[in-house]
Amino acid sequence: MRNYGFHNNGINGLRNAGLTRVTATVLGVRNLVETDKGQSVPALFEQEYKDGIITSWANPDALSVGFMTDTAVIDYAPDYDKNLDVFDKTNEWLNSMGAPDVYKPVTLTTVASSSLSTTDKHDDVLVYSSAGSANKDGYSFSITVDEADIGSDVYVYVNFKKGGNATVINNGKTLKFELRSYQIICLGVYEGSPIELTVKYSDNPGSSIFVYGYQLDQAGYAQMVQTFADEQLEVSSYDSTSLSGHIEVKEDGLMFMSIPYAEGWTATVDGKPAEIVSVQDALMGIKLGKGSHDVTIKYTPAGFKEGIMISAVSVFFIALLFIVPAVSEKLKKNKPVLDAAVTAEDVEVQGASIEEVPVSEVMGQDAPAEESSKDIDQADVSEAPSEVVEQNDDAEKPEADND
């Protein structure tokens, strides 16, 4: 997004530093909130709320998260190395979408400089070079915009890799704020009086600094908003990882979406899978045909499902590492008890196999009724037959003597 005048960290970060009315509208930025000590919001938007140090600003022109554009935007590739003019590249970008130019040049006039020199006096592009070691004021330059269209936003872009500080004097009001690297500087709205800008850096630029001056083309901007707003996605539901909506498409094209492109996004159109295309390796879009469409996009981090499976398997094996030793130890402690239980069970089985035998059957003759009705203890039963036989022998001996 540096091609369009945004400060970024060169990795995958983006801040509002460098935001303009155009980019805020195209990217769907509806509200901006600032604190007294925070990064200043461009002096362009309507204040809708203020409480203490907090101020909220609104952009009534902000477009939906998705709107129809020409498919040519997919193939547009800004040349960052050869074209340093971010306003010109933004015009090209919007042209590829089907919109007109929204920026036009303004003349910049040099006023003063410190440790920086230039041969330019009046132009829409000024070039400054380092004049050697900096004095106590560091490296600075001052310029003015003497003429512009009344009511137009005025911007300056400085192609410098370091941050600094800016002071803007517009219609008697002074605004000071911190600058980030490679960002568009908003000078506010031109009201008929010259606007003055002073930029200071603590670091030596080392190479040439290019300063570009542009203003908003009000007619071109209004046409852009009308073109894109005519076919917008009406969002019906959304959360942190998904979004659904409906759109009426008049002609085949690309639904441009102001959502950062990343692997893990999937889309369905009318319930069927649809391809998500990358726009300048930064944002994304979906090709749609003429007609009425229901669109849903969902985000799942790359490798999320595989990660869930791996985590589940890992938890299972970790649980086994704790459960198996615990069960094994418990079994060892309970083994004597189990052995005793088995022994008792064997005894019960053996006892259950012993039956009560009438004495008469053992002795081979009838026994007195009282004897047959007696219960015999299990412990005595095993010895009963031999005792009974001895008694029978003793009983027969007298009979032999009588004979």
Side-chain angles (χ1 to χ4, degrees):
M1 300 301 289
R2 186 186 295 178
N3 284 294
Y4 310 121
F6 283 98
H7 161 73
N8 67 81
N9 59 12
I11 305 173
N12 195 26
L14 184 67
R15 302 187 183 185
N16 70 307
L19 191 72
T20 70
R21 190 186 302 273
V22 173
T23 50
T25 296
V26 172
L27 298 178
V29 179
R30 297 183 181 279
N31 297 94
L32 301 99
V33 178
E34 69 175 349
T35 63
D36 289 350
K37 297 181 180 180
Q39 175 71 32
S40 297
V41 171
L44 306 171
F45 304 105
E46 300 175 2
Q47 180 178 321
E48 63 175 9
Y49 174 81
K50 184 174 179 61
D51 184 10
I53 64 171
I54 298 176
T55 305
S56 175
W57 307 85
N59 176 18
D61 298 329
L63 295 167
S64 170
V65 67
F67 54 88
M68 294 303 298
T69 68
D70 196 301
T71 55
V73 68
I74 300 173
D75 299 321
Y76 171 67
D79 191 336
Y80 178 77
D81 295 324
K82 293 182 179 180
N83 185 4
L84 302 179
D85 188 340
V86 297
F87 303 103
D88 181 55
K89 286 185 286 189
T90 301
N91 281 339
E92 293 177 351
W93 182 42
L94 295 173
N95 292 163
S96 71
M97 292 186 182
D101 289 352
V102 294
Y103 294 120
K104 56 184 181 181
V106 294
T107 299
L108 304 176
T109 301
T110 58
V111 176
S113 62
S114 176
S115 302
L116 295 173
S117 62
T118 181
T119 58
D120 301 319
K121 299 300 180 182
H122 306 279
D123 206 338
D124 58 343
V125 183
L126 304 177
V127 182
Y128 287 91
S129 300
S130 172
S133 300
N135 57 29
K136 62 179 181 179
D137 295 326
Y139 301 86
S140 66
F141 64 86
S142 296
I143 59 175
T144 60
V145 176
D146 298 321
E147 293 184 6
D149 296 337
I150 300 296
S152 288
D153 306 341
V154 180
Y155 304 99
V156 167
Y157 174 71
V158 183
N159 182 55
F160 187 44
K161 62 183 179 181
K162 297 290 185 178
N165 293 282
T167 301
V168 177
I169 302 175
N170 185 358
N171 200 32
K173 298 179 181 179
T174 300
L175 179 64
K176 297 183 178 182
F177 51 91
E178 180 183 355
L179 285 180
R180 303 287 182 177
S181 60
Y182 302 112
Q183 77 160 83
I184 290 176
I185 304 169
C186 177
L187 308 188
V189 177
Y190 183 75
E191 299 180 10
S193 301
I195 303 175
E196 182 176 338
L197 168 68
T198 298
V199 177
K200 293 184 178 181
Y201 298 108
S202 58
D203 294 331
N204 188 334
S207 57
S208 298
I209 297 176
F210 292 81
V211 183
Y212 299 85
Y214 277 79
Q215 66 175 318
L216 182 71
D217 185 326
Q218 298 180 64
Y221 173 76
Q223 187 177 343
M224 179 204 77
V225 174
Q226 182 179 358
T227 299
F228 294 152
D230 195 36
E231 299 174 273
Q232 297 189 83
L233 180 71
E234 297 179 5
V235 177
S236 57
S237 65
Y238 68 93
D239 56 32
S240 59
T241 58
S242 66
L243 179 148
S244 296
H246 179 81
I247 187 169
E248 296 289 338
V249 180
K250 296 181 178 180
E251 294 183 4
D252 295 357
L254 178 79
M255 186 178 73
F256 171 88
M257 304 193 75
S258 54
I259 297 176
Y261 178 83
E263 293 184 5
W265 281 108
T266 58
T268 60
V269 176
D270 302 327
K272 299 179 181 180
E275 179 186 7
I276 295 177
V277 298
S278 171
V279 180
Q280 280 88 59
D281 293 327
L283 304 171
M284 63 189 198
I286 302 172
K287 291 182 179 180
L288 297 177
K290 180 180 178 180
S292 177
H293 300 290
D294 293 316
V295 180
T296 297
I297 62 171
K298 294 182 179 180
Y299 179 74
T300 303
F304 179 77
K305 294 181 179 179
E306 293 81 357
I308 290 292
M309 294 180 64
I310 293 173
S311 297
V313 173
S314 299
V315 169
F316 174 75
F317 281 107
I318 290 173
L320 285 181
L321 291 176
F322 288 95
I323 294 174
V324 171
V327 172
S328 178
E329 184 66 22
K330 187 174 181 179
L331 289 174
K332 289 180 180 179
K333 291 180 179 180
N334 293 340
K335 187 175 180 181
V337 177
L338 293 174
D339 291 344
V342 171
T343 303
E345 184 179 352
D346 291 342
V347 170
E348 290 179 2
V349 172
Q350 293 173 2
S353 64
I354 301 174
E355 300 179 357
E356 292 184 1
V357 180
V359 175
S360 59
E361 292 183 9
V362 176
M363 297 179 63
Q365 60 182 16
D366 293 337
E370 64 269 19
E371 290 293 330
S372 61
S373 63
K374 290 182 180 179
D375 292 333
I376 303 175
D377 292 338
Q378 293 179 359
D380 297 331
V381 170
S382 59
E383 299 177 359
S386 57
E387 292 179 358
V388 173
V389 171
E390 291 176 357
Q391 290 176 4
N392 288 341
D393 292 343
D394 293 339
E396 291 176 353
K397 289 178 181 179
E399 293 181 4
D401 294 337
N402 294 331
D403 292 337

